[in-house]
Amino acid sequence: MIEASGLTKLYGTFRAISDVSFSVDHGEIVGLLGPNGAGKSTTIRILACILSPTTGTARVAGHSVLSESLAVRRQLGYMPEHVSLYPEMEVATYLDFAGKLKGLGGTARRVRVSQVIEELDLGSVTRVYIGTLSKGYRQRVGLAQAMLHDPSVLILDEPTIGLDPEQAAEFRQLIRGMRGNRTVLLSTHILPEVRMTCDRVMILARGQLLALDTPDNLTHRLRDASEVVAHIEGPQSEVETLLHSLPGVHEVQVTSQGNGGATSYTVRAAQHEDVRPSIVEAVAGRGWRLFELRSREMDLEEIFHRVVDQPQP
Amino acid sequence: MVLRAIFIKELRSYFGLFLAYAIVAVALALSGFFFYTDISFFMMWGGQNLARGLWEFFFHDLRYVLLLLVPAITARSFAEEKKLGTLDLLWTYPIPESSVLLGKFLAAATLLLVVLGLTLVYPFVLSHWHPEVHWPALIPGYVGLLLIGLVFISVGLLLSALTDSQAIAAMATLGVLVLFWSLTWNEQAMSEAWLHVLLQISLFDRFYNFARGAIDSQEITFFLFFFSFFLLLTWQALRARRWHGKGEFSSLGTFLATPSRKQWVTVAVLDLLILAGLVGLQTLSIRNNQRWDFTPTQTLSLSKQTKSLLADLDKDALLTLFFGGSPDAYQRYEDVLKRFTAENAYFQYRILHRDRNIGLARQYGATHYGTAVLEYDGQHKLLPGAGEKTITEALFQFLRQEQKTIYFVGGHGEKDPRSGQPQLGYSAAASALRNENFIIRPVFLARTERIPEDAALVVVSGPQTDFLPDELERLARYLSAGGSLLFMLDPMPAPNLTAFLAQYGIELDQDVVYDPQNRLFGGDALSPLVSLYNTGVEIVRDFQVGTIFPLSRSVEPADPLPDGVLSAQPFCRTGPGAWARFRAGADSPEGAVDFEGTKARPGPISLAVAAMLRRDQAASPNPSDQPTNGTAPPASADAEPGGRLVVYGDSDFASNSRLSLLGNRDLFLNTVQWLVQEEGFITERPRDASIQQKISTLVLTTEQTRQLFLITIIAEPGVILLLGMLVAISRRRHRR
């Protein structure tokens, strides 16, 4: 549904993105992650036909954003960052206006406008000026205008920014509901959001695409060690020495000091080594008490930081 | 549909915005103020020429209102949307940039039309008090204002599309427009070639003819091209957002390093080509210019006399104008010269800067800026300018070679054709006659046995003393031989003259004409204004201009007419509100009534009579009892006409200080041409720009002036402001 190949954008001499290529399938929800200034907005604005790439091409819904931008825009709903709408217009008037611009004729437009109003629960604010709406409502109006012409591709730039947790959850629910019907590309820097909503994650940093995969694959791919957290009551230095001596263990760290009780240790071992049974055995052999033993999964945040902090090739 | 949606949305946002109402109200207050001061100015200067002058000034002033109004309207159109970010969102919709641009352009144009429409209240109010508002004459002014406004809008849209700050957009628009306005300010520093080019693109100078009441197709195409080109630039600026980068213009180095420089260069080349094309089209359009003159008296077209003269031109005539004054003069003259060439291609002209062509100027003796030289058939003539009147007079002299001699009688304190004195001199009249190819000579009746043979006309211009019987005898002989006499007699006792004229059926009373009603603003009741002419008399056939006769006496045809007189017809009459007041001690004839303590005859009063004498009987000036109707048209064609005689009850109307007032000059020259039997030259002559056209005295009472002030400056803007407040309040209520 979205295919980008070799997208590069220069602002003057500044390289905003450099040779970005990826593709998104129909019905997929893809999250675009990256720190500020990574090139997320530039990528999104190229796909939404606001900007042209300096080199490279992109096709959205089968049309080139360069030569068939009108056809692209007919298939595309876009919701900008800091949803910018006309503050002096009423919600219903605005949606009607947007419908006209999107080429919806009389009846079809009225039907669609009332559909999105219902879908996004905007019924109570149809006659309110957009300028006086709360952030959450404004966000919904922004999504409403993007969905108005039933586009096959939705591009959302930071859709949940500024929403309270409840609103954000609702919003994610809404987007998850589109899986399979619409292709959604959303940029965000809230990591849990990606895990919760997206099928795949795309990580951009310094204008380069560093990773594009499912969150699970990414975790798997990036895992270079297994970590075990153990809660042990015993003399600290002896415990440390013992843990170190176990086969496969690289590193032992004291995570928290037990005050007369158990001390928490983080044990790092080689990637496919499960050191838990040997820990149980060794601790029991010394007569120390084991309170907790668990394997720690890598979370997306770590993956993200790891990917982003990777030295440039 | 997209265009319409954008257009309606833009209009709604204008009309939902208190600021827009405030801007319109300020613009209206300003134009109301201009109108009010213009009309005050006009009343102070005699309330003349309402048909054209008032509106010309008003339209020129309205340009300044547009200069301030339009940047305020257009500044927000793109800048605001860019700042809000809504423009980017718009570009993700399946709509072309051109629809957005045209929608916004049309919305701003509609607001402009609304403001212009609201200024129509002024002529409407005025037409209530003063019936002579000539509506068609307003059309070119408004068309011009609309066109110049559209150009302003296109410039404003461009600058609004280049920035995301409304304030910067407004200031930059104002700056660019002022630049176009001031292009020709420093005309002294420019060569004629440059001035010519700059005048072509000087928006404000191009407005000149619209304000005067004419629409030229070349000006329409000029403005069309101008704003089309700016719309094109705006369109490109909107599209360029996709490929240009931030900081591209920070230095030439960074610009050259940017990948989009190729696109910039392409656009620049394309624009230059389009510009060249437009200039080419404009050149074509100048060649094929079509003028529509909406002025009530066709002021902006060549006069009948000029046209008939040009029709006789069958050899090359070359006019060289040495300019150096203001570009206004350059343009006005060129406008006139173009019309001459368009009428007859034998007439060619060139306009040279005097200081840059000093050798040629010396050779011709052109010592002043604005001097023109007309060359024709091996002769040349220096002219004090290149106005229509000047050129036509020079052509007249070249083309009408035969010269007739006019004798001015001297010896009785007559007004002197050689004297330049404002009140008592007739030099202006003499020079006007010379321009019509007459020779002016003096004659002293007391010293001459007979009037010279070559006399085409003898003029008696305001004698201070009575004539001797001998002198009158000579005049009578001359008249009976088929000569022509022109008497211009001021109020004074002159029994001999009175008796002499009575023989020819012309009666003079010892009176002074007093007209408290019909007079020029600033003039006194002793200067009656004549606007009633007996168009059956050749002199004033088709004459529509007012004339002024300061300190005049009545002149009436006798009833019945003496035998030797073929006809005697009055042709200039005061309005019915005038009075002929009799001098103390003079015999007051029948019908005299008391008027403010003196005996007087009520108006209308005749101030001039033209008489034709019978050839055979002219020699016997004895009154006959045979009745003849004085006001009847000239008698049967078989009676061969003899001498001609015109008597005016005033000589001041042709004096240096009055000749150029209203139609005085034409009336004087027409009288002379009739007397020398050159009726073909009785015509409507070209006028100086300063000479007024159609008299329409504009006098508003204090109460009316106060009402005008209230309506134009207070009420109309106030209503708009109030509307804006209502809108703002209703919107505030509407909020939760």
Side-chain angles (χ1 to χ4, degrees), chain B residues 353-537:
Chain B
H353 198 296
R354 192 191 164 270
D355 296 344
R356 286 168 208 274
N357 298 277
I358 194 81
L360 193 63
R362 286 237 178 88
Q363 191 185 321
Y364 281 120
T367 48
H368 293 88
Y369 288 149
T371 304
V373 181
L374 182 63
E375 291 169 273
Y376 177 76
D377 202 16
Q379 314 165 54
H380 80 268
K381 203 168 160 52
L382 273 179
L383 312 177
E388 186 190 344
K389 172 170 162 279
T390 319
I391 302 173
T392 302
E393 283 166 358
L395 278 177
F396 195 97
Q397 289 166 18
F398 281 141
L399 294 171
R400 302 273 189 273
Q401 298 288 348
E402 189 207 352
Q403 290 195 303
K404 291 188 173 179
T405 309
I406 297 177
Y407 284 89
F408 274 73
V409 174
H412 312 89
E414 285 93 346
K415 292 195 168 61
D416 189 345
R418 286 163 305 182
S419 164
Q421 236 210 333
Q423 313 294 335
L424 301 173
Y426 253 37
S427 62
S431 120
L433 289 173
R434 279 191 206 100
N435 283 331
E436 302 227 328
N437 227 17
F438 288 106
I439 296 168
I440 311 296
R441 292 221 172 95
V443 62
F444 295 92
L445 299 174
R447 290 187 234 146
T448 330
E449 225 5 79
R450 50 187 297 123
I451 305 283
E453 284 288 321
D454 62 347
L457 168 68
V458 173
V459 179
V460 178
S461 51
Q464 303 290 305
T465 54
D466 204 357
F467 281 47
L468 300 170
D470 271 3
E471 297 174 312
L472 291 172
E473 217 285 309
R474 272 158 215 156
L475 287 178
R477 240 189 298 142
Y478 166 68
L479 202 54
S480 64
S484 298
L485 275 177
L486 170 60
F487 281 93
M488 293 180 278
L489 303 174
D490 296 311
M492 60 149 196
N496 289 350
L497 271 172
T498 310
F500 171 77
L501 290 172
Q503 296 170 6
Y504 302 102
I506 295 170
E507 291 180 346
L508 294 171
D509 281 322
Q510 294 300 315
D511 57 12
V512 174
V513 178
Y514 180 87
D515 192 343
Q517 282 182 7
N518 219 353
R519 54 180 161 130
L520 279 185
F521 187 88
D524 56 20
L526 289 171
S527 298
L529 173 71
V530 167
S531 46
L532 293 171
Y533 302 102
N534 177 2
T535 51
V537 174

Side-chain angles (χ1 to χ4, degrees), chain B residues 501-651:
Chain B
L501 290 172
Q503 296 170 6
Y504 302 102
I506 295 170
E507 291 180 346
L508 294 171
D509 281 322
Q510 294 300 315
D511 57 12
V512 174
V513 178
Y514 180 87
D515 192 343
Q517 282 182 7
N518 219 353
R519 54 180 161 130
L520 279 185
F521 187 88
D524 56 20
L526 289 171
S527 298
L529 173 71
V530 167
S531 46
L532 293 171
Y533 302 102
N534 177 2
T535 51
V537 174
E538 195 78 9
I539 297 169
V540 287
R541 182 194 59 198
D542 296 336
F543 207 76
Q544 288 178 342
V545 195
T547 41
I548 289 178
F549 296 90
L551 205 63
S552 50
R553 68 197 297 173
S554 69
V555 182
E556 304 277 353
D559 186 19
L561 281 178
D563 229 8
V565 181
L566 190 63
S567 72
Q569 291 176 283
F571 59 92
C572 290
R573 271 206 217 100
T574 66
W579 299 85
R581 294 168 75 164
F582 296 103
R583 291 180 158 243
D587 303 335
S588 35
E590 271 177 72
V593 293
D594 262 5
F595 175 73
E596 292 179 2
T598 46
K599 289 283 181 190
R601 186 158 52 88
I605 308 291
S606 163
L607 294 176
V609 171
M612 291 171 91
L613 310 182
R614 282 183 222 279
R615 177 153 226 131
D616 47 345
Q617 289 161 334
S620 58
N622 296 318
S624 155
D625 292 337
Q626 203 178 338
T628 316
N629 190 345
T631 52
S636 50
D638 58 326
E640 198 191 338
R644 293 184 175 199
L645 175 63
V646 170
V647 181
Y648 278 100
D650 177 46
S651 71

